[in-house]
């Protein structure tokens, strides 16, 4: 498997943090720190109401903008929802789906995650599909069984042309916001397993072209080792994406690949 066939993508997930007025100063600081790289795409997935401010400020710094969630519905009487068409119309290129926080606090099922991914693909937006096991599942030796189930469910009815546009993010739940990162070996093992699932479903050529990220307490210190793994093509970063210096340091770590 060769990394030259796929994009490296470092995506920040701001979760429910920051405000629209904080965007400009943040981007100015980030821009000063970001390395010039042609091999890595830098993305910030921000709350919906912050997207327009991020699109304005981020353009100059070549930051791709992503959402954090989307409705499975096309349009209509769904109070509070934001559609893929609305995101596309703004110029959003990425959107997270199936984050473990949405699965846990909003009872999102694998079936719903699949529907949301399809809604995004229909509007030319790259879904960043999150999968990851709980600590209990890991301790019971069920990690790969569960990840296999999640990946297959999320990609149900997604064809070859569509999967090319998808990013899979492996985020072990026990590593999110805990400061407890998966070791490079643990993260590589699962990301390699995810690529094997893609190979089985779509063939080797396609599997080698899909970007697979690791997420879960990735920071300026551990990014280089994680990103050096053969099947880890980027990161989905929570806490460290709120600090321009730390986030830029993770982008810099990709240049070492
Ligand atoms: P942390 O980097 O804060 O652990 O969050 C990871 C995450 O959930 C990104 O989606």
């Amino acid at each position: 498997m060769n990394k030259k066939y796929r994009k490296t993508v470092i995506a920040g997930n701001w979760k429910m943090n920051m405000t629209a007025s904080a965007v400009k100063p943040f981007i100015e600081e980030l821009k000063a720190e970001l390395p010039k790289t042609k091999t890595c795409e830098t993305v910030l997935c921000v709350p919906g109401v912050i997207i327009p401010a991020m699109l304005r400020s981020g353009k100059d710094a070549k930051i791709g903008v992503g959402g954090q969630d989307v409705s499975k519905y096309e349009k209509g009487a769904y109070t509070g929802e934001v559609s893929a068409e609305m995101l596309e119309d703004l110029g959003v290129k990425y959107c997270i789906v199936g984050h473990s926080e949405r699965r846990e606090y909003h009872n999102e099922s694998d079936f719903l995650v699949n529907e949301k991914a399809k809604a995004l693909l229909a509007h030319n937006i790259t879904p960043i599909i999150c999968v990851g096991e709980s600590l209990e599942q890991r301790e019971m030796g069920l990690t790969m069984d569960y990840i296999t189930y999640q990946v297959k469910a999320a990609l149900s009815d997604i064809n070859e042309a569509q999967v090319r546009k998808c990013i899979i993010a492996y985020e072990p739940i026990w590593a999110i916001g805990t400061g407890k990162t998966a070791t490079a070996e643990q993260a590589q093992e699962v990301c390699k397993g995810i690529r094997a699932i893609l190979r089985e479903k779509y063939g080797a050529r396609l599997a080698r072209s899909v970007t697979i990220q690791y997420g879960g307490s990735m920071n300026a210190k551990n990014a280089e080792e994680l990103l050096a793994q053969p099947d880890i093509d980027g990161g989905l970063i929570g806490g460290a994406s709120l600090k321009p210096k730390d986030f830029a340091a993770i982008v810099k770590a990709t240049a070492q690949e």
Side-chain angles (χ1 to χ4, degrees):
M1 290 291 163
N2 197 319
K3 282 195 177 183
K4 76 177 180 218
Y5 296 107
R6 46 192 185 259
K7 279 192 293 193
T8 300
V9 182
I10 297 294
N13 174 9
W14 275 8
K15 308 193 179 184
M16 199 173 74
N17 292 296
M18 310 287 263
T19 56
S21 29
V23 168
K24 202 167 174 230
F26 178 95
I27 292 295
E28 270 163 22
E29 209 182 321
L30 178 64
K31 210 175 138 190
E33 299 283 339
L34 270 183
K36 285 201 172 53
T37 162
K38 286 207 173 90
T39 55
C40 175
E41 256 175 72
T42 308
V43 177
L44 280 167
C45 297
V46 299
V49 292
I50 300 184
I51 288 174
M54 184 54 81
L55 283 161
R56 271 194 306 279
S57 297
K59 206 172 175 184
D60 208 28
K62 297 201 165 58
I63 305 286
V65 180
Q68 296 177 0
D69 185 35
V70 69
S71 174
K72 70 170 183 173
Y73 299 109
E74 186 62 26
K75 62 171 69 172
Y78 302 103
T79 303
E81 295 272 76
V82 171
S83 72
E85 185 186 15
M86 294 169 190
L87 294 175
E88 181 189 29
D89 180 60
L90 283 177
V92 168
K93 298 280 186 258
Y94 298 87
C95 186
I96 297 170
V97 286
H99 193 282
S100 61
E101 287 149 16
R102 292 215 58 89
R103 293 180 190 256
E104 184 181 350
Y105 307 131
H106 301 270
N107 291 320
E108 292 201 359
S109 65
D110 291 287
F111 179 69
L112 180 58
V113 173
N114 171 250
E115 289 193 288
K116 289 184 173 192
K118 288 191 283 196
L120 291 168
L121 288 164
H123 287 279
N124 237 344
I125 297 171
T126 290
I128 302 179
I129 301 167
C130 301
V131 296
E133 82 286 4
S134 65
L135 187 58
E136 212 181 355
Q137 287 165 331
R138 174 160 285 271
E139 285 173 350
M140 284 164 70
L142 294 174
T143 300
M144 239 16 255
D145 288 343
Y146 187 60
I147 299 289
T148 303
Y149 168 73
Q150 280 191 314
V151 172
K152 285 192 175 166
L155 296 177
S156 171
D157 295 327
I158 288 182
N159 66 29
E160 285 158 25
Q162 292 171 316
V163 80
R164 261 178 219 287
K165 265 199 85 84
C166 295
I167 293 177
I168 315 278
Y170 168 53
E171 297 208 306
I173 298 170
W174 49 272
I176 296 176
T178 57
K180 229 178 159 185
T181 323
T183 63
E185 293 72 33
Q186 285 172 324
Q188 162 60 19
E189 189 187 1
V190 177
C191 291
K192 186 180 172 193
I194 292 172
R195 206 175 302 284
I197 301 163
L198 296 174
R199 199 180 314 128
E200 188 194 311
K201 187 169 157 83
Y202 299 103
R205 285 193 95 183
L206 222 138
R208 74 181 180 193
S209 71
V210 175
T211 297
I212 301 176
Q213 297 173 321
Y214 168 78
S217 299
M218 195 189 259
N219 59 38
K221 284 204 182 105
N222 59 30
E224 196 178 326
E225 195 191 353
L226 286 160
L227 294 166
Q229 301 305 309
D231 287 288
I232 302 180
D233 314 311
L236 187 56
I237 295 110
S241 75
L242 297 167
K243 300 176 199 137
K245 271 203 176 80
D246 290 10
F247 190 52
I250 297 173
V251 178
K252 276 180 202 151
T254 67
Q256 317 290 326
E257 280 170 21

